[in-house]
Amino acid sequence: MSTNNRNILTVSRLNAEVRLCLERDIGIVWLSGEISNFTAAVSGHWYLSLKDNQSQVKCAMFRGNNRRVTFKPKNGDQVLVRARVSLYEPRGDYQLILESMQPEGDGRLQQEFEQRKQALAAEGLFAQSEKKPLPAQPRRIGIITSKTGAALHDILHVLKRRDPSLPVVIYPTLVQGRDAAVSIAQAIGRANSRAECDVLIVGRGGGSLEDLWCFNEEIVARTIAASTIPIVSAVGHEVDVTIADFVADMRAPTPSAAAELVSRDLSYRLQQYQQREQALSRAMADVLYRQQRHLTQLSHRLSHQHPRTRLQQQSQRLDELQRRMQQAMMTKIRRAQAQCSQLDGRLQRATPIHTIHRQQGHVSQLEQRINHAMDAHLQHAQQRLHTLMATLDAVSPLATLTRGYSITRTDDGKVVTQTEQLSVGQTLHTHLREGDITSTVTALTPASVSPAQD
């Protein structure tokens, strides 16, 4: 079977194609799981795995994204992440590139909030054209909140201070818990059926996202949208935002501010200005929201072709090579230490100190033998000297001199042995055993043969 060379891919080309498929076809996902194998690299990037009871997936969160995480992740944390499905090409590992991370509880509520907000906005519930204007001079104000909450006290205190003659109708309701959303919707429906108020204030005091969740429920949003009476949303503090705020005809940052908005001592022009300001803010928020979504889409498209993706992979590869280099260095150091220990042991076993001690003992023995030999040789030399001295003394002329003989020499030092060597008047020097004699020759008598004995 023949194979067309053009159909043969390299491993690098295959991994690149798979990465593009994953990023293009799957793209951004939301994922919940437990953190394990968490590592913060020196480059600032995070590497971890997300797992459940049956599976796990490797993840990387680069420094630019993890700076926005408001808590310190650790192994065992349950989190909700927003991630881009990708592939680490050098190893062919399927992985997620994390863009955001939240604790799972808060993250799930925030995700549900965003999803519900987008769905209701798509239906037009937030449209400015659906907003009803607040009455310039309300005849009666309805308040939908808890009868025991601080919000009711704040609203009544402001209304009493600004216009004590303004009638108020309270529609008590639950503002927290599982049944709160239904209770709020029923209170709004009851106020509309009785049609005794010109404007309604719906709200409560501040709290966590979970505490305010009933004002994010769909039943509350649709009931507010269906109300024929204008509604001012006054939920929480200024930083708290709920879906009720987007659906209501006007949003007040606090319950007290809602009372300020509907109070009669506000001039019509100021109220109209505030309404227009609110409308403009909502319109701007809506435009910004659409532009943000468009920007996010463009950013995702750009990220597929942006060199940052390649840089992130190279940075991840650099972290991996650095870990491998550190492991190799530690292995080499351990081997060198083991080799040093072995060489040290061999050196200790082969040290010359023991040989030196043995040689020093041998040198001491040789030194003793040399001393003994020298003493013996010296004694033998002394004995031989004494013998030679005795022999020399026996033949020495000094011994002859001791027996009464003498030695006579001429001026030039020659020993006189016969008269033929001398002449009359010649000076002679005679050496005795003790002392010397200087004499002059006055007469010479040649030696004669001794007469024969009869």
Side-chain angles (χ1 to χ4, degrees), residues 397-407 430-438:
L398 296 177
T400 304
L401 294 177
T402 302
R403 293 195 299 272
Y405 293 94
S406 63
I407 301 173
T430 303
H431 180 67
L432 304 177
R433 180 180 180 274
E434 294 181 0
D436 294 317
I437 298 173
T438 303

Side-chain angles (χ1 to χ4, degrees), residues 108-129:
R108 287 187 178 278
L109 289 178
Q110 188 65 36
Q111 182 188 19
E112 187 175 350
F113 174 85
E114 294 294 337
Q115 292 174 346
R116 184 169 295 169
K117 177 182 172 183
Q118 292 179 15
L120 295 178
E123 291 183 26
L125 266 68
F126 303 168
Q128 185 60 33
S129 59

Side-chain angles (χ1 to χ4, degrees), residues 280-389:
L280 179 61
S281 297
R282 283 193 293 268
M284 290 179 62
D286 186 56
V287 170
L288 289 175
Y289 175 72
R290 290 197 302 270
Q291 293 298 325
Q292 182 65 37
R293 287 188 60 187
H294 184 59
L295 178 62
T296 301
Q297 293 173 354
L298 293 178
S299 177
H300 291 162
R301 290 173 56 187
L302 179 62
S303 66
H304 298 326
Q305 304 173 3
H306 201 281
R308 179 182 58 195
T309 302
R310 187 65 177 173
L311 290 175
Q312 289 174 347
Q313 289 196 351
Q314 293 297 331
S315 179
Q316 187 175 354
R317 174 65 173 170
L318 180 61
D319 291 334
E320 179 186 4
L321 292 176
Q322 185 175 16
R323 287 195 298 269
R324 291 172 58 186
M325 182 182 69
Q326 290 175 346
Q327 292 173 356
M329 288 178 62
M330 292 303 298
T331 301
K332 189 171 183 179
I333 290 173
R334 286 194 293 269
R335 289 177 179 173
Q337 289 175 342
Q339 187 177 13
C340 286
S341 298
Q342 293 176 357
L343 292 176
D344 184 65
R346 291 175 58 187
L347 180 61
Q348 292 296 331
R349 291 191 296 271
T351 180
I353 190 68
H354 304 298
T355 304
I356 291 174
H357 289 329
R358 290 195 301 269
Q359 294 298 329
Q360 286 178 342
H362 185 58
V363 169
S364 298
Q365 293 176 359
L366 292 176
E367 185 178 2
Q368 292 177 0
R369 290 172 60 186
I370 289 174
N371 290 335
H372 292 324
M374 289 179 65
D375 291 342
H377 182 72
L378 183 59
Q379 290 177 1
H380 177 71
Q382 288 176 345
Q383 291 176 358
R384 185 179 177 188
L385 178 61
H386 291 159
T387 302
L388 293 174
M389 289 177 62

Side-chain angles (χ1 to χ4, degrees), residues 227-293:
S227 174
T228 58
I229 302 174
I231 292 180
V232 177
S233 174
V235 181
H237 302 299
E238 186 171 358
V239 295
D240 298 321
V241 179
T242 65
I243 290 178
D245 296 330
F246 293 98
V247 182
D249 300 292
M250 181 172 289
R251 181 213 177 216
T254 64
S256 297
E260 298 275 354
L261 287 174
V262 300
S263 297
R264 284 181 177 175
D265 61 343
L266 291 176
S267 67
Y268 175 79
R269 188 178 297 276
L270 178 60
Q271 188 177 40
Q272 189 179 40
Y273 170 77
Q274 289 174 337
Q275 290 176 348
R276 290 176 179 178
E277 183 182 20
Q278 290 288 331
L280 179 61
S281 297
R282 283 193 293 268
M284 290 179 62
D286 186 56
V287 170
L288 289 175
Y289 175 72
R290 290 197 302 270
Q291 293 298 325
Q292 182 65 37
R293 287 188 60 187

Side-chain angles (χ1 to χ4, degrees), residues 445-451:
T445 303
S448 59
V449 179
S450 299

Side-chain angles (χ1 to χ4, degrees), residues 125-163:
L125 266 68
F126 303 168
Q128 185 60 33
S129 59
E130 299 297 323
K131 306 299 181 184
K132 297 176 287 295
L134 300 184
Q137 298 291 330
R139 293 174 288 113
R140 185 179 287 109
I141 296 175
I143 304 174
I144 299 176
T145 188
S146 171
K147 63 181 179 181
T148 59
L152 177 60
H153 173 77
D154 294 340
I155 293 171
L156 294 177
H157 176 75
V158 172
L159 293 177
K160 182 178 180 181
R161 173 174 54 83
R162 292 172 63 82
D163 189 358

